[in-house]
């Protein structure tokens, strides 16, 4: 090869490189993002060739893109057909007169779908009581006892913010989950400056009380926050709701889902003619209980689809906590973090770039690099469960939290990804299919100068540059 040809090839390569970096430079140097903390990596899925790279080894707050890690780990460790199991158990003896001399137990394993509005069945209480009758029980001399000890009793992750605790999107994770661990609070607001009236909760929660600091103001959206600790029935309400509304609903987390489930089971037993006398029978060892019925959740493939498309924090946390049961007898946040990190370390991912404090991404102390995300997404492409994982992700301009992203652009319907948004954080990571080519990308932006909408616009422009 002569020197002239070599020189031409070098120049051509240099020009190609400049062309590739122009969109990235525009992304990094605009007024909205020029002072932001950014970790970014885009690569060709087939060749692994890097297209755009900026501080890809640096970790940034990732918000709900953390769910990509939780759901991928769950698929790999548990399999798409895994189902949570909730058991009805008895101790003591059932007489010929159909009297249970003992207790009825509800033993949970963290199923997030019991009574859920997103997945599963809402009619299970009737099924449960039918199973009790089928076991030959018409009277229970003892009590209905909920056993949520498969999980620790922490409930709320200690790394979450105080302003989140008590709200529906920060519901606690327990061995027994019920009704998405979420209730509705129905309010009636008056004239501007007045305190809205509390009408009722849906469902009714025995013993719950509210310290009401709300204001009726000239706004048009929900700006109310509930505050309260796990297992405590007192909730404080601050913020504002629109004035002059006959009915306005805000949502909070159920303080003790297991106790509410017990209350509803007892009511359903009474409705179907099974009497409970609440005499004291000493609880027995789990090994001495007899299983009379098992309630199974929908398969994990459906659960992670709800988790990713709806960005459901509660589903993510329940699945995340369960992962620790592969090695520990009681599920906990700490053990789940160790399980996730160990799993991906063994598969060669850079876990020194993963700072994980929960499974849903609500903790602002989380941190993940763009490289970790793209390595994870690359790994999942070779997984037998890739199709399940890929189809669990929101689609640009079509579904879930990506419904408005890239709408009415050439990339509508061509991006399967997870978004992440909390205060001063905007992130996207996933797969993009363009012109018979697939790209894997992760873009994490923290502390931009612009609004969330402005940051999203710049991310869209960068992604669209790949289609030029």
């Amino acid at each position: 090869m002569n020197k002239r040809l070599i020189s031409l090839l070098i120049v051509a390569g240099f020009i190609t490189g400049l062309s590739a970096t122009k969109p990235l430079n525009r992304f990094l140097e605009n007024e909205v993002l020029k002072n932001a903390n950014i970790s970014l990596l885009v690569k060709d899925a087939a060749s692994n060739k890097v297209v755009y790279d900026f501080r890809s080894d640096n970790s940034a707050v990732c918000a709900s893109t953390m769910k990509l890690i939780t759901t991928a780990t769950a698929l790999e460790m548990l399999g798409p057909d895994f189902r949570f199991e909730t058991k009805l158990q008895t101790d003591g003896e059932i007489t010929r007169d159909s009297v249970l001399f003992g207790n009825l137990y509800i033993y949970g394993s963290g199923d997030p779908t019991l009574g859920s509005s997103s997945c599963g069945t809402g009619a299970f209480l009737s099924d449960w009581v039918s199973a009790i009758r089928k076991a030959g029980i018409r009277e229970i001399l003892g009590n209905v006892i909920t056993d949520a000890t498969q999980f620790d009793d922490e409930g709320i992750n200690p790394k979450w913010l105080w302003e989140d605790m008590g709200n529906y999107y920060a519901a606690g994770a327990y061995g027994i989950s019920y009704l998405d661990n979420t209730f509705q609070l129905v309010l009636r607001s008056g004239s501007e400056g007045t305190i809205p009236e509390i009408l009722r909760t849906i469902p009714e929660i025995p013993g719950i009380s509210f310290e009401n600091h709300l204001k009726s103001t000239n706004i048009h959206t929900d700006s109310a926050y509930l505050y309260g600790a796990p297992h405590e029935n007192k909730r404080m309400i601050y913020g504002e709701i629109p004035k002059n509304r006959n009915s306005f609903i805000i949502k909070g987390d159920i303080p003790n889902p297991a106790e509410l489930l017990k209350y509803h089971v007892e009511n359903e037993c009474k409705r179907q003619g099974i009497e409970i006398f609440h005499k004291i029978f000493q609880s027995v060892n789990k090994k001495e209980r007899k299983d009379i019925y098992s309630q199974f959740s929908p398969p994990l493939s459906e659960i992670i689809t709800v988790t990713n498309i709806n960005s459901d924090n509660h589903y993510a946390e329940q699945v995340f906590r369960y992962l620790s049961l592969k090695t520990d007898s009681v599920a906990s946040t700490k053990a789940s973090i160790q399980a996730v990190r160990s799993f991906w370390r063994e598969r060669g991912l850079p876990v020194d770039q993963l700072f994980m404090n929960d499974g849903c991404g609500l903790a602002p102390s989380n941190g993940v690099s763009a490289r970790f995300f793209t390595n994870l997404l690359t790994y999942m492409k070779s997984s037998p469960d890739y199709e399940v994982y890929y189809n669990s992700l929101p689609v640009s301009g079509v579904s879930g939290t990506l419904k408005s992203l890239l709408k009415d652009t050439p990339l509508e319907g061509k991006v399967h990804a997870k978004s992440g948004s909390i205060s001063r954080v905007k992130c996207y990571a996933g797969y993009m299919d363009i012109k018979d080519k697939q790209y894997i990308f992760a873009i994490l932006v923290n502390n931009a100068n612009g609004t969330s909408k402005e940051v999203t616009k710049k991310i869209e422009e960068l992604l669209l540059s790949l289609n030029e």
Side-chain angles (χ1 to χ4, degrees):
M1 187 179 297
N2 62 45
K3 291 182 179 180
R4 175 178 170 76
L5 181 56
I6 293 172
S7 298
L8 287 173
L9 288 172
I10 291 172
V11 170
F14 178 71
I15 292 172
T16 301
L18 284 177
S19 176
T21 59
K22 280 182 180 179
L24 180 59
N25 288 340
R26 287 197 300 268
F27 178 79
L28 297 172
E29 294 170 4
N30 68 83
E31 290 299 316
V32 174
L33 300 178
K34 69 178 184 180
N35 296 322
N37 176 34
I38 296 171
S39 182
L40 179 156
L41 187 60
V42 181
K43 64 180 183 178
D44 185 308
S47 67
N48 217 34
K49 180 182 177 182
V50 172
V51 181
Y52 299 138
D53 185 345
F54 183 76
R55 296 178 179 172
S56 58
D57 291 319
N58 288 19
S59 297
V61 181
C62 61
S64 281
T65 50
M66 180 65 79
K67 295 180 177 75
L68 287 172
I69 301 171
T70 297
T71 54
T73 312
L75 269 180
E76 293 298 294
M77 289 180 67
L78 305 174
D81 298 324
F82 166 81
R83 295 173 187 264
F84 290 91
E85 182 180 13
T86 304
K87 295 180 180 180
L88 297 184
Q89 302 172 320
T90 60
D91 60 14
E93 298 294 329
I94 302 172
T95 70
R96 291 182 179 179
D97 296 329
S98 300
V99 178
L100 170 61
F101 277 81
N103 302 304
L104 173 72
Y105 296 84
I106 304 168
Y107 181 54
S109 66
D111 181 2
T113 72
L114 287 178
S116 173
S117 60
S118 301
C119 194
T121 175
F124 72 93
L125 287 178
S126 179
D127 294 339
W128 283 14
V129 178
S130 295
I132 294 168
R133 297 177 68 89
K134 189 175 181 180
I137 300 170
R138 298 295 183 271
E139 295 180 359
I140 300 172
L141 289 190
N143 291 279
V144 175
I145 298 174
T146 51
D147 185 346
T149 56
Q150 190 74 80
F151 282 31
D152 67 15
D153 61 358
E154 181 179 64
I156 300 297
N157 189 297
K159 298 295 184 180
W160 290 354
L161 297 177
W162 166 246
E163 68 181 23
D164 295 328
M165 290 168 55
N167 293 286
Y168 73 95
Y169 58 84
Y174 304 98
I176 292 177
S177 165
Y178 182 46
L179 300 175
D180 298 308
N181 291 359
T182 298
F183 72 91
Q184 296 180 339
L185 182 64
V186 185
L187 304 159
R188 178 189 293 130
S189 62
S191 59
E192 188 168 359
T194 60
I195 297 175
E197 177 187 359
I198 295 173
L199 300 180
R200 63 187 180 279
T201 65
I202 305 173
E204 174 193 358
I205 302 176
I208 197 167
S209 64
F210 299 95
E211 186 178 304
N212 187 0
H213 300 276
L214 273 175
K215 296 291 183 183
S216 304
T217 66
N218 190 29
I219 63 172
H220 302 286
T221 58
D222 175 6
S223 185
Y225 291 86
L226 292 101
Y227 299 87
H231 306 297
E232 291 187 1
N233 273 336
K234 182 177 181 179
R235 289 289 185 262
M236 295 177 288
I237 323 171
Y238 287 87
E240 307 169 11
I241 65 170
K243 64 183 181 181
N244 299 323
R245 296 286 186 93
N246 286 329
S247 178
F248 191 85
I249 292 174
I250 63 176
K251 295 188 291 184
D253 82 313
I254 295 171
N256 194 328
E259 283 300 303
L260 183 62
L261 176 58
K262 171 186 173 180
Y263 175 70
H264 285 175
V265 168
E266 290 180 343
N267 285 348
E268 185 64 20
C269 282
K270 183 178 180 180
R271 191 185 73 81
Q272 292 197 35
I274 297 177
E275 195 165 1
I276 303 171
F277 289 92
H278 299 289
K279 291 186 177 181
I280 304 273
F281 283 86
Q282 185 175 359
S283 298
V284 301
N285 188 289
K286 292 177 186 178
K287 293 181 180 179
E288 298 176 20
R289 300 179 197 168
K290 179 183 177 182
D291 297 345
I292 63 170
Y293 184 75
S294 286
Q295 172 82 34
F296 291 96
S297 73
L300 183 65
S301 57
E302 293 183 27
I303 291 172
I304 70 161
T305 298
V306 171
T307 303
N308 285 329
I309 289 183
N310 297 344
S311 201
D312 193 307
N313 290 339
H314 173 59
Y315 272 45
E317 283 303 298
Q318 294 288 141
V319 170
F320 169 68
R321 301 272 182 104
Y322 187 89
L323 296 178
S324 59
L325 293 177
K326 298 294 287 184
T327 55
D328 285 48
S329 59
V330 177
S332 68
T333 295
K334 181 179 179 181
S336 290
I337 293 169
Q338 292 173 343
V340 173
R341 288 178 58 86
S342 176
F343 181 87
W344 294 112
R345 182 186 294 109
E346 291 171 2
R347 283 147 186 83
L349 268 67
V351 294
D352 58 326
Q353 299 171 12
L354 170 64
F355 299 90
M356 190 177 202
N357 289 295
D358 63 18
C360 69
L362 194 57
S365 54
N366 287 324
V368 187
S369 69
R371 187 173 303 281
F372 186 94
F373 274 127
T374 56
N375 283 10
L376 174 95
L377 293 162
T378 300
Y379 177 92
M380 291 305 294
K381 274 192 65 66
S382 62
S383 168
D385 301 317
Y386 167 66
E387 186 175 347
V388 172
Y389 187 63
Y390 180 82
N391 290 331
S392 78
L393 301 176
V395 181
S396 57
V398 176
S399 62
T401 54
L402 264 63
K403 195 167 186 178
S404 62
L405 183 77
L406 297 163
K407 185 77 172 176
D408 300 323
T409 74
L411 292 184
E412 179 177 327
K414 295 182 179 180
V415 176
H416 285 64
K418 186 73 195 73
S419 63
S421 300
I422 56 177
S423 179
R424 302 200 312 276
V425 174
K426 176 63 72 172
C427 307
Y428 294 93
Y431 305 96
M432 181 164 49
D433 298 291
I434 307 175
K435 301 173 182 177
D436 300 322
K437 182 177 286 191
Q438 186 178 69
Y439 296 95
I440 293 174
F441 71 94
I443 303 171
L444 295 82
V445 178
N446 296 178
N447 299 321
N449 290 329
T451 64
S452 179
K453 187 175 181 179
E454 289 171 330
V455 175
T456 299
K457 182 66 176 176
K458 295 303 177 185
I459 292 173
E460 287 180 318
E461 290 173 2
L462 183 64
L463 293 176
L464 284 164
S465 71
L466 295 166
N467 192 53
E468 295 173 354

